Amino acid sequence: MVGLVVVCHSRPLARAAVALAAEMTRGRPVAVEIAAGLDDETFGTDAVAISEAIAAADSGDGVVVLLDLGSAVLSAELALEMVDEPGRVVLSAGPLVEGLVAAAVAAASGADRHEVAAEAGNGLAGKQSHLGAPVAEPDEAGRAPDSTATITIRNAHGLHARPAARLVTEVRAFDARVELRNATTGSAWVPASSLTRVATLGALRGHDLDVRAEGREAEKAVEHLVALAAQSFGEAEEPDDVPEGGAASPGVGIGPALRIRDVPIELPDVPSQGPATEWRRLEQAIGTTRQEIGRLHSPVFDAHLLLLEDDDLITDVRGRIDQDETAARAWHGATARVAAQFDELADPYLRGRAADVRAVAQQVLRALLDLPAPAPDGDGVLIAADLTPAEAAALDPGRIAGVVLASGSPTSHAAILTRTRGIPAVVGAGPRVLEIAAGTLVAMDGGTGEVVADPSEQVLASFRSRADQQGVRRNEALARAPETAVTSQGIRIEVGANVGSVEDARAAAANGADLAGLVRTEFLFLDRTEAPGVDEQVAVYRRIAEALGGRRITLRTLDAGSDKPLPYLPPPTEANPFLGVRGLRHSLAHPAMFAEQLRAIVRVARETPVSVMFPMVTTVDELRAARAMLAEAGEAPGLRVGMMVEVPAAALRAAEFVPYVDFFSIGTNDLTQYTLAAERGNAALLSLTTGLDPAVARLIDEVGRAAGERVLVAVCGELAGDEAVVPRLLAAGVRELSVAPGLVPLVKQAVRAV
Ligand code: PEP
Ligand code: MG
């Protein structure tokens, strides 16, 4: 007679299941062994105990093993390696209780081990047909799937892009072919490994999805899916109102909602250069897009990344390229098909996901056709998931009344760019803002983080009056902007601008900046195929100084690294790029490029007032090494040398750096991120990364104390532009503030009020 083994996490459960099965065999004896729990109370499974149970149950006709979940399966597989005759043992994919009952009945009736295993595997059939749940259907090849289940969607917006992305990503990790269908609507089966196909299920809250799987890990995959669905695919319940976001760039913006990336692209009418060439070009464009998206570190784009690897989409594109379409036409055709599938869905939220598909489709097309970043078409309030630096830089302040981003934080690079361009912005407003349809009137306040779609007359009037008051304040500040800022106690404070281009330098001058307190030189190094030479750098730095009318410019040496990678010096893969080879560490690791930049800086410093500073300094040794290289680059009499203080270690040991610098410039964006262990771009950590944290204030005090009389203390992080924080910074001994160009007049007023 075939023996049975029950493997499960709980010993009492196994005993009870065996007792139940014994009831069904009506007293006929069956050899059942238990390998369950670590003792009577502790959950667990043990491979040695399982192998011993198998040996005890095997009387020569073989053994069928019934299992519960997870490690039970792994332990049983391991046990098979320990038994003498593994060929006589069948691990059943059937359900533990129903399978055991069916197997016991079959074994008691003298069935062989294959028949017993088949009975166990079919253990759920009776209950399923009784309750109307799907009975495992044979697939096209006539085989029954290895595992099935039904899950219910609990997410408020159904299985929309993010939960669908999570489902697809996690299912792919299993060695199994998993399919889904919407049992509520009676849809066709679709592969769970394809985001686009999963989205076409139109699965709304409360819908039931049938799951079936085949393959070695079919059961595990299905179990995992069931657990994921029970946790709403990791998605917290969202409030019904459009949430407030982070105040990122002050000012009120009112206008119709605009969406970027919907601008149509004209496809060139050229013949295919052959499938191999076209395919290679497409792969490159997809790679570039993946890099651009990755650089944003924004979970909002996870679905976009997944789309770039979607089997269904890529197979379609490949087929089109093989039929002599160009890469651009093939990509456009295949993505348009997918977007059209979304358009047909009944639920407006899921239908809205077509915009995601079109956005990423456009991004790849632009990379493929070498087109510039898109600018939104029209005037109004731009709503987007996030912006690439190139997109943010392309915004026209004359046309864009405001920017509302689902993702990001006030110190994210997109936020800094909106502030630099003087465009009101709210960031980290959450994915609900992406539901605002293009053309809907939007009122937003970048000073408070409020966003109202389709405001009532009353709300609109209040935003308008706020905008008017701000306009009056701004005009007063602008009128006094060219004057120096002096506190009521007669302390003169330099108010400079942070610039990342010649155009920013012009805006700085127009807003009365006393200097450029931070020139982010990386703008010259990113998004190109090789580093700029000395002459090119000299020309650009000179133009920045000229745009500022010869006022002092503070050139920060290249702050590249893993979060701002250079295409021509790809960084090694780093698990924590913000803790990696960035800033000065990166420059010291690439001395030839660093030496060229220092030579360019020294040359410009011989013509015009220049300060140079090093980013991300952590130790005195690093600073000494940088100074030694600067000395080798040559002499320039008026050149002032400083360092950024943005690593807590440097702030705490500021006194040790004093002998080597003329000034400290505190980078509060990074100093906050490193002090609070809170990534600066992470929208979920806004409460940690917004404002002056007391711990950061103490570090700034420490720098102020250590600097003494000789060394100037500046702040160039975004906090310097926060009018409410200015008095606290001055109290710590800060004597220079460097802010987004558009904020200079208001910050000067704030200084005067101290
Ligand atoms: C800072 O970290 O505060 C800073 C000014 O540098 P960046 O924002 O360029 O990293
Ligand atoms: Mg920094």
Side-chain angles (χ1 to χ4, degrees), residues 47 70 142 154 175 192 228 237 304 334 388 409 420 490 495 507 511 534 536 555 598-599 615 638 679 694 696 729:
R154 298 158 183 252
D175 179 11
L228 257 186
E237 286 296 311
H304 288 201
T388 64
S409 79
T420 302
V495 181
N511 281 288
V534 177
E536 182 181 347
L555 296 169
L598 294 173
R599 277 208 298 282
E679 191 185 318
V696 176
L729 296 178

Side-chain angles (χ1 to χ4, degrees), residues 482-493:
E483 300 168 27
T484 47
V486 181
T487 68
S488 58
Q489 292 177 340
I491 302 173
R492 184 192 160 132
I493 306 295

Side-chain angles (χ1 to χ4, degrees), residues 50 116 134 151 197 209 211 238 297 334 342 445-446 490 531 602 670 708:
I50 298 170
V116 172
I151 57 177
R197 303 289 300 280
L209 301 192
V211 186
E238 286 161 1
H297 298 288
F342 278 94
D445 186 339
V602 167
D670 279 317

